[in-house]
Amino acid sequence: MKDILNLTKDSLATLLICSNLAIDYKKETIKPYTVRQWNILVDKLMNSSMRRPSSFFETTEQDWARELYLNNEEIDRLNSLLSRAGQLGIELENLRNLGIQITTRAEKNYPKRLKSILKKDSPPIVFYCGDLRMLENKGIAMVGSRNIDQVGLDFTKTIAKKCVLEGFNIISGGAQGVDSAAEETALKLQGKVVSFIATSMVQKIKVKEVRKAIINGNLLLMSATNPKSGFRVYTAMGRNKYIYSLSNSAIVVSSDYNKGGTWAGAIENLKNNWVPMFVRRDDKIPEGNKELLNKGVHPIEVGLFTDKGVSISEYINSKINSSHNNEIMIQMDIESFINNKAKHQNYIIAKEDESSIEIKEDKKEDDVSNMNDAQVDIYNIVWPYIEKELIHPKNSEELSEIFKLKKSQVDEWLKRAVEEKKIKRLTRPVRYIISK
């Protein structure tokens, strides 16, 4: 089987345990392992003498029980899944004949960004149709809701065109609305598109235009589920993180507020900080866009990226560098303050005579006083940077994430700024904004 499909035995074990390719649900109820269950099993393997998934083919059930501390129910489940190698070979051959290939975490060609960014949340198995080497190029994820107005649609097409002209892959999910508009625009211009789909890959590649784009090397289809499976909401929600992690930055064109896959994916990226994210801003953006802006997501303006306008890469880099420079400047200012304070204290100690022994005995009380002084001074150093972020409302969690500070410290400074009437405290939900 390895000679035919060029897969390692580790991959074959992964496929048998984690995919439903060889399972006939008309006759059986057994379920493959989820990503979480697979991670737990892999951890047990790594901490045993078995070490690798391929060892299942060379050991007995007694070995599994002893080495992996599995109960009888789990052993029966594994034994049943692993017994389907013959049927799996047939299914894999059928997929190969359709042009659909497979990689797993055990393979060298597994997408590096998925593994490096998502780590254990990366899919154990990836099905693909097209050239995986396309992922070596930089990409920009374009995401958005299915229902999009004309302004948003025009914006999507403009950004997609600029990405193609500047050599970026468009990375999306193939859904109606923003996804399909971005992908179609890029392909018409002979650009590169990576589409991580949540629908049947088998059905997708039957479309003439899709097959042509794949053959021409302009389209790479990817999926983490059985290529014959249809659309599932949980599949669509789960693949959001794959779209983000395959990109170098992401643009949210249009999002509902607190519902839908676009919102869920954006919040997930914001929480995990996978890639820099930008959101469309204009006079008529949906509520989700407004809330993402309030959470500190970088704005990206309509009308900014005309054919002769601003470069996408330059704009993105300028925003990323601006945020990074804020962090660096704060750190430099704080370090400068600490170093100057240390020099001042060393100078005083150097001037002391033998009576300095008495001062050292009272050091605890002096340290408390010095700490209080430091807090006041550091607040004055950091506040101008925080104040710039509060042009739009933000909460303390968002500020602590932006500046890599402890939330308790940010809460203390925000409370003081409210008392000093530098900012206003908003409610429902609690946020802060500069006083005008």
Side-chain angles (χ1 to χ4, degrees):
M1 194 183 297
K2 182 180 184 296
D3 293 335
I4 296 174
L5 299 169
N6 198 30
L7 291 172
T8 64
K9 287 186 176 180
D10 285 327
S11 288
L12 296 176
T14 303
L15 280 161
L16 286 166
I17 296 171
C18 296
S19 79
N20 61 0
L21 286 173
I23 299 174
D24 184 353
Y25 282 119
K26 294 180 180 179
K27 301 177 181 179
E28 303 169 291
T29 58
I30 188 169
K31 293 182 178 180
Y33 275 44
T34 63
V35 175
R36 181 176 178 275
Q37 291 169 341
W38 176 244
N39 286 334
I40 293 171
L41 183 61
V42 169
D43 284 342
K44 289 183 177 181
L45 282 169
M46 294 298 294
N47 290 309
S48 73
S49 63
M50 292 176 65
R51 300 294 294 172
R52 305 189 67 85
S54 57
S55 63
F56 281 113
F57 298 129
E58 302 154 2
T59 51
T60 65
E61 295 178 16
Q62 289 74 26
D63 296 325
W64 306 349
R66 183 182 65 255
E67 293 284 339
L68 306 177
Y69 305 99
L70 301 178
N71 57 36
N72 290 335
E73 182 181 357
E74 203 64 21
I75 289 172
D76 289 342
R77 182 187 182 192
L78 274 172
N79 197 32
S80 180
L81 290 168
L82 290 163
S83 68
R84 291 166 167 74
Q87 183 60 37
L88 177 66
I90 295 171
E91 295 296 329
L92 293 179
E93 184 66 24
N94 289 338
L95 290 177
R96 191 193 70 160
N97 290 336
L98 292 171
I100 297 173
Q101 302 180 72
I102 299 164
T103 187
T104 76
R105 290 184 197 166
E107 299 293 331
K108 291 182 179 179
N109 68 343
Y110 186 88
K112 292 181 175 60
R113 287 188 65 84
L114 281 181
K115 190 180 290 186
S116 64
I117 292 177
L118 296 179
K119 299 178 173 57
K120 288 188 175 182
D121 284 332
S122 59
I125 304 163
V126 172
F127 301 91
Y128 66 97
C129 188
D131 190 352
L132 272 183
R133 291 175 298 180
M134 193 184 297
L135 296 176
E136 296 171 7
N137 191 30
K138 288 186 177 182
I140 293 180
M142 292 197 66
V143 298
S145 59
R146 294 170 180 267
N147 300 318
I148 183 171
D149 59 19
Q150 190 60 46
V151 174
L153 190 61
D154 292 341
F155 174 84
T156 301
K157 293 178 180 180
T158 299
I159 294 293
K161 181 179 180 181
K162 290 287 284 187
C163 287
V164 171
L165 293 175
E166 295 183 32
F168 288 102
N169 291 343
I170 290 291
I171 301 177
S172 202
Q176 293 179 356
V178 170
D179 295 30
S180 58
E183 293 180 9
E184 289 170 8
T185 300
L187 291 175
K188 285 179 181 178
L189 296 169
Q190 298 300 307
K192 307 289 186 181
V193 171
V194 177
S195 187
F196 209 109
I197 61 177
T199 55
S200 169
M201 188 178 292
V202 170
Q203 294 299 318
K204 186 85 172 179
I205 59 178
K206 289 181 179 180
V207 179
K208 181 180 178 180
E209 291 77 11
V210 171
R211 292 199 308 273
K212 182 179 178 182
I214 292 171
I215 292 170
N216 290 340
N218 293 326
L219 174 62
L220 170 63
L221 292 181
M222 303 179 71
S223 174
T225 58
N226 189 329
K228 294 186 290 186
S229 298
F231 178 82
R232 299 286 187 277
V233 173
Y234 65 85
T235 301
M237 298 291 277
R239 59 80 192 266
N240 286 329
K241 55 181 169 285
Y242 309 146
I243 293 172
Y244 278 94
S245 62
L246 286 173
S247 67
N248 296 91
S249 56
I251 297 174
V252 180
V253 177
S254 183
S255 175
D256 293 325
Y257 172 57
N258 214 24
K259 64 179 181 179
T262 302
W263 174 263
I267 294 301
E268 199 174 10
N269 182 62
L270 199 60
K271 178 181 177 182
N272 293 285
N273 198 29
W274 292 320
V275 295
M277 185 165 60
F278 298 78
V279 60
R280 174 172 65 101
R281 181 171 69 183
D282 60 37
D283 295 335
K284 297 181 179 180
I285 52 175
E287 198 63 29
N289 289 44
K290 295 176 184 177
E291 290 299 322
L292 289 174
L293 289 167
N294 289 340
K295 290 180 178 295
V297 178
H298 299 295
I300 191 163
E301 306 286 352
V302 173
L304 187 62
F305 303 101
T306 60
D307 289 344
K308 297 181 180 180
V310 177
S311 159
I312 286 281
S313 56
E314 288 178 359
Y315 181 82
I316 288 174
N317 289 336
S318 69
K319 291 294 182 181
I320 294 171
N321 291 338
S322 175
S323 296
H324 183 57
N325 287 340
N326 269 353
E327 294 176 21
I328 293 174
M329 289 303 295
I330 290 172
Q331 189 61 35
M332 288 174 63
D333 285 349
I334 291 174
E335 287 175 358
S336 175
F337 162 78
I338 292 172
N339 289 337
N340 287 336
K341 191 172 183 66
K343 288 177 182 177
H344 179 66
Q345 289 173 335
N346 289 337
Y347 174 79
I348 293 174
I349 291 171
K351 289 289 184 181
E352 291 290 345
D353 53 17
E354 293 179 357
S355 63
S356 63
I357 295 173
E358 296 179 5
I359 296 175
K360 290 177 182 178
E361 289 176 355
D362 294 331
K363 187 174 184 295
K364 183 176 181 181
E365 183 178 348
D366 289 342
D367 281 349
V368 173
S369 175
N370 289 337
M371 285 175 64
N372 289 334
D373 289 342
Q375 284 182 342
V376 172
D377 288 333
I378 292 176
Y379 165 82
N380 289 328
I381 292 169
V382 174
W383 184 253
Y385 299 98
I386 295 178
E387 192 172 38
K388 287 180 181 178
E389 291 295 329
L390 293 180
I391 295 173
H392 301 290
K394 291 182 179 64
N395 59 35
S396 58
E397 288 88 352
E398 292 161 349
L399 290 170
S400 63
E401 176 62 28
I402 290 170
F403 295 107
K404 310 302 179 188
L405 295 167
K406 289 184 178 180
K407 181 178 177 298
S408 58
Q409 182 63 80
V410 174
D411 284 333
E412 182 180 335
W413 287 340
L414 289 172
K415 181 180 178 182
R416 178 176 173 180
V418 170
E419 292 172 353
E420 294 175 355
K421 297 183 178 180
K422 291 180 177 179
I423 59 173
K424 294 186 293 186
R425 184 178 184 271
L426 307 177
T427 57
R428 298 182 181 179
V430 173
R431 292 167 298 164
Y432 299 88
I433 189 169
I434 58 173
S435 300
K436 295 181 181 180

